[in-house]
Amino acid sequence: MKLPLDGIRVVELAGLAPAPFASLLLADYGASILRIDRLQPHAPGSISPPPTLDLLVRHKSSIAVDLKSRGGIALLRSILCRVDILIDPFRPGVLESLSLAPEDLLERNPRLIIARLTGFRRDGPYANMAGHDINYLAVSGILSQLGRSEEPPYAPANILADFAAGGLMCAFGILLAVVERTKSGKGQVVENSMADGASYLGSMMRYARKTPLWDQPRGENYLDGGCPWYDVYECKDGRYMAVGALEPQFFRGLVKALGLDGENLSAAREDRARWPIMRDLFQRRFREKPRREWEDVFAGSDACCTPVFDQQELEEADYEQRPPIHLRRSTGLPVESKEAWASSGLSPGAGGVQKLHEWFGWNIGRDFKGVEGGGLIKVDAAKI
């Protein structure tokens, strides 16, 4: 079966989190990925350096290139003349400092799509500042809405800005540019700010501030932990059940399954003054049974109550990890069991020489060569 992105060649400049995730999404649906790594020192006598910290390496290959050398830049520029997509994870100005300005690259390869991932906006007050996921959430306004009442805002690891607002949005932008290229025949620069991506993800949260859904302080609303029927509860064994019984019919199912029919909770569920009492009832009731028993109670029901599984449990149960989108006619690559729960990483240089031959018919010694430290350079840089 032909994969939807078969034939698409992607160069990923090595980074962490958002850029590797964007290319992983493309790779899982058939794109061919070559990661460009920096030169990595390795132990004397070893064949190759150890894997980098990047864990999102499924279906990828790598070459190491000295981006400070003329021959290294010449090799990379020659590659970029022949591929479809470049993913740039660097801060503003880095590509230009390497003599790889997007304008020059597009002049050499008008079909090239250059995806540029930044944390902050390129034109804002934070443009030249370093940052991480929590900072991009902070300036987008989203972080201020996350967390419990009367506690500091809480960042949910780095999944929102790095992966949802960064990598996922970047892959979406790339695909938009690929679709547009089928009409114009031309590539373009795709700008992806994680701060803007986070703000966009939070559109509903932002609008809801002007409605009863989210018009209270942080942690006192329906979906942010303020509402007792949209929260997580501890069971007798220290494990947890997640409750999301927002609609009245689901709430009635929850109350019935908990054996609280006689408490007249449905009539008072919109009375915020009663929420603390209701939460206390739920807490005490969930603590009466271990999670396994509550799973049986709610199995097959419409009470919107499910167990909170940890990753170890799922791994031990051989839970099947699947690609996020299934296309019936041209699906993605399956997530093999050996890749579902651990990553073996990718060493700089792993599979890259073979990839260059597969893509362009290039051979080591004739078109490029290795240098001390494990990097590759163009054989005749003067022609580039």
Side-chain angles (χ1 to χ4, degrees):
M1 182 178 291
K2 189 175 178 62
L3 298 169
L5 297 180
D6 267 348
I8 297 291
R9 298 168 176 173
V10 181
V11 167
E12 172 198 341
L13 300 180
L16 291 174
F21 186 62
S23 69
L24 178 68
L25 284 164
L26 303 179
D28 277 343
Y29 290 90
S32 184
I33 313 293
L34 179 64
R35 190 180 74 188
I36 308 298
D37 280 298
R38 300 175 180 87
L39 298 186
Q40 299 286 334
H42 50 283
S46 64
I47 298 175
S48 63
T52 68
L53 295 176
D54 176 17
L55 300 176
L56 305 175
V57 298
R58 197 163 55 236
H59 314 306
K60 300 182 186 181
S61 302
S62 163
I63 59 172
V65 176
D66 183 359
L67 296 180
K68 296 180 180 179
S69 74
R70 183 169 178 269
I73 290 296
L75 176 62
L76 180 54
R77 192 181 290 125
S78 185
I79 292 170
L80 294 176
C81 285
R82 296 164 169 84
V83 299
D84 296 284
I85 297 161
L86 168 65
I87 299 179
D88 164 27
F90 298 145
R91 291 170 65 177
V94 173
L95 269 192
E96 290 80 357
S97 72
L98 296 171
S99 301
L100 297 170
E103 296 77 13
D104 296 337
L105 296 177
L106 286 169
E107 185 175 348
R108 292 169 178 268
N109 180 1
R111 290 179 57 81
L112 181 64
I113 293 165
I114 305 170
R116 310 195 74 178
L117 264 162
T118 58
F120 301 114
R121 292 177 173 177
R122 287 181 178 270
D123 60 350
Y126 309 105
N128 296 316
M129 293 172 56
H132 283 295
D133 181 291
I134 192 170
N135 306 114
Y136 314 141
L137 286 183
V139 301
S140 74
I142 299 304
L143 184 59
S144 71
Q145 293 183 269
L146 302 176
R148 294 289 185 177
S149 177
E150 299 182 2
E151 293 182 10
Y154 179 78
N158 67 328
I159 196 166
L160 282 182
D162 276 356
F163 293 103
L168 184 60
M169 289 286 190
C170 181
F172 176 62
I174 288 169
L175 295 179
L176 289 178
V178 169
V179 171
E180 196 281 333
R181 192 176 66 177
T182 65
K183 304 172 185 177
S184 67
K186 295 181 179 180
Q188 59 183 300
V189 176
V190 176
E191 298 280 10
N192 175 204
S193 153
M194 287 179 259
D196 285 339
S199 182
Y200 195 91
L201 286 170
S203 295
M204 193 278 285
M205 294 168 63
R206 186 169 64 253
Y207 298 150
R209 293 170 50 249
K210 307 296 177 67
T211 76
L213 184 64
W214 219 304
D215 62 354
Q216 299 300 308
R218 179 178 60 255
E220 298 179 19
N221 299 282
Y222 283 91
L223 299 176
D224 62 0
C227 173
W229 60 88
Y230 199 89
D231 210 343
V232 176
Y233 291 93
E234 186 177 8
C235 304
K236 186 177 182 179
D237 57 358
R239 296 185 174 186
Y240 297 91
M241 295 291 287
V243 172
L246 287 173
E247 291 80 3
Q249 68 273 24
F250 301 149
F251 181 81
R252 289 193 294 272
L254 173 71
V255 170
K256 181 178 180 180
L258 289 174
L260 296 173
D261 308 59
E263 300 293 336
N264 197 30
L265 297 179
S266 292
R269 84 183 210 116
E270 299 298 336
D271 183 357
R272 289 176 181 265
R274 295 284 304 276
W275 283 6
I277 298 171
M278 194 179 301
R279 186 184 304 277
D280 183 64
L281 277 174
F282 290 169
Q283 287 174 337
R284 286 190 282 112
R285 184 53 53 93
F286 274 109
R287 285 176 182 150
E288 291 176 3
K289 301 178 189 288
R291 194 193 70 189
R292 177 69 261 180
E293 291 186 27
W294 285 121
E295 290 179 54
D296 293 338
V297 168
F298 287 101
S301 75
D302 276 347
C304 300
C305 186
T306 54
V308 178
F309 293 126
D310 63 43
Q311 299 287 4
Q312 186 65 31
E313 285 181 275
L314 292 175
E315 181 176 3
E316 291 173 355
D318 292 324
Y319 179 81
E320 181 187 7
Q321 298 290 347
R322 298 175 179 175
I325 303 296
H326 179 73
L327 303 176
R328 292 191 176 183
R329 188 165 51 83
S330 55
T331 189
L333 294 167
V335 180
E336 302 292 346
S337 57
K338 65 180 181 180
E339 300 171 322
W341 300 103
S343 170
S344 57
L346 183 66
S347 296
V353 170
Q354 296 91 327
K355 183 67 68 177
L356 292 177
H357 182 76
E358 173 193 324
W359 280 2
F360 314 130
W362 288 0
N363 292 312
I364 192 164
R366 185 189 70 192
D367 302 286
F368 57 92
K369 63 182 180 180
V371 296
E372 185 177 353
L376 301 180
I377 63 171
K378 194 81 172 70
V379 163
D380 191 356
K383 293 184 179 179
I384 302 300

